[in-house]
Amino acid sequence: MTYSSRLEGFYNLTAGQRIEWLAQVFSLEPSEVDALLSGGLTIEQADRLVENVSGLYTLPFSVAANFTINDRDYLIPMVTEEPSIVAGSSHAAKIVRASGGFHASAEDPILVGQIQVMFEGVESPYEDSPRLVETIETLRSSHAKIIAARAELLEQANNVHPNLVKRGGGARDISVREFFHTRIGPMLVVYLAFDTRDAMGANLVNTACEAIAPRTAELTGGRVNVRILTNLSDRRLARAACRVTADALGGAEVARLIVEAQVLAEVDRYRAATHNKGILNGIDAVAVATGNDFRALEAGAHAYAARDGGYRPLTNWELASNGDLIGSIELPLAVGIVGGLTRIHQVAQIALRILDVQSGQELAAVMAAVGLAQNLAALRALATEGIQKGHMSLHARRLERASTG
Ligand code: NAD
């Protein structure tokens, strides 16, 4: 499908006209147009999804314009109730588009699960412990036994997901960490790295961890407790970068103020938290639109921001020697285009058609670019008119529209 994401004048259309445009460009069926008007989930579907369902709750579905990522135009579906997010990212994408767009990539879709192994009657090896040597020996030999059984454990994990293995995914690696000193004694953690292909993969990995847990206990002589994925999916990083001229931003002074704001986020976690919230404004909106688990993304992003013990911004902005502003982002993005809510939510399926991504990895790369655009929009607003002016003018426009019907 070829189209320009430039969407001149889209902003001035009515919501009905925008839906008509989408229906035409993406060949939407009448039932899909109905889904865009009603929200995309029936009460019966909702009732099968979670517990105690007593109604439906809808949010605006929007399309952000102007994105060029890896030399391809993308329309970005977003679900958010917060004013300025769609306009802000579209505006930032327009600025970046003028200098060649975003370059983005994502690592292989590896999700890691962890299995906690406890050892009854084994003490933490504090210096005065009479069983210091014995404890270290238990953990070290258990560690070695797991590594020696790597192939067997990987095969066992793959056996519960034959279809995924046929698609090229499956268990990739086993590793082990020893925690000698905890307040309840020593423990081992076995990590299972799993390629989840186009799925986010939480259920896939949890099932695989549960499948290898009994053999893990047998091999180590320990007792298995927690068996679940980690949301700190730092083997599934997505990255995006862009370079914009100071002129496109509104001048050298704006570029300089953006870098000042960046450095504040680097040194002050009070600012870093809000800086990263702004990034996630965009990423979460795409996650919700495409039926992805935004809580998982939030957990991963914040844990990654705190990976070195401090809490850091997920983006970087600096000036090139010619005065251009160079931006980049890196964060874990475990997202899928199959499974989860995408299986049943009609608007999530439409969102994926609009995005036209071929893999979960491509979706992660696009979302990284959206996060970077959102951050540029927020920093540029802070460096120029301030955040409230943009927020309030959109708010005023909404009120005006509401009052004129
Ligand atoms: P899922 O359980 O729907 O599994 C994906 C399914 O898609 C599998 O059956 C797989 O075989 C199939 N599939 C078809 N084509 C595929 C392809 N090309 N690549 C990969 N799989 C393909 O979903 P999931 O992704 O395993 O789990 C995601 C769900 O788990 C989300 O709804 C999330 O909210 C939830 N969850 C999250 C957490 C967490 O993040 N901590 C914990 C538990 C559950």
Side-chain angles (χ1 to χ4, degrees), residues 142-187:
S142 299
H143 185 150
K145 284 175 197 160
I146 295 288
I147 298 300
R150 178 180 176 277
E152 179 196 345
L153 291 169
L154 294 183
E155 191 185 340
Q156 218 178 14
N158 279 335
N159 285 345
V160 287
H161 294 306
N163 291 337
L164 191 73
V165 173
K166 275 188 214 139
R167 290 187 186 99
R172 291 285 184 265
D173 203 6
I174 295 272
S175 57
V176 181
R177 260 183 96 183
E178 294 147 8
F179 292 92
F180 285 107
H181 299 292
T182 84
R183 63 189 179 81
I184 53 164
M187 60 183 80

Side-chain angles (χ1 to χ4, degrees), residues 111 161-165 167 169 195-207 228-231 236 291-297 299 335-343 358:
L111 200 62
H161 294 306
N163 291 337
L164 191 73
V165 173
R167 290 187 186 99
D195 185 324
T196 67
R197 293 288 89 199
D198 296 317
M200 181 268 189
N203 290 320
L204 293 169
V205 167
N206 292 348
T207 315
I228 192 170
L229 81 149
T230 168
N231 286 114
R236 199 167 174 169
N292 274 286
D293 183 338
F294 63 94
R295 290 88 52 205
L297 299 184
V335 290
I337 58 169
V338 295
L341 188 61
T342 56
R343 213 174 23 216
Q358 304 309 309

Side-chain angles (χ1 to χ4, degrees), residues 258 261-262 271 275 317 374-384:
I258 287 175
Q262 166 70 27
R271 175 57 205 152
H275 182 103
W317 295 98
Q374 207 69 59
N375 187 228
L376 176 60
L379 295 182
R380 186 174 171 279
L382 285 167
T384 52

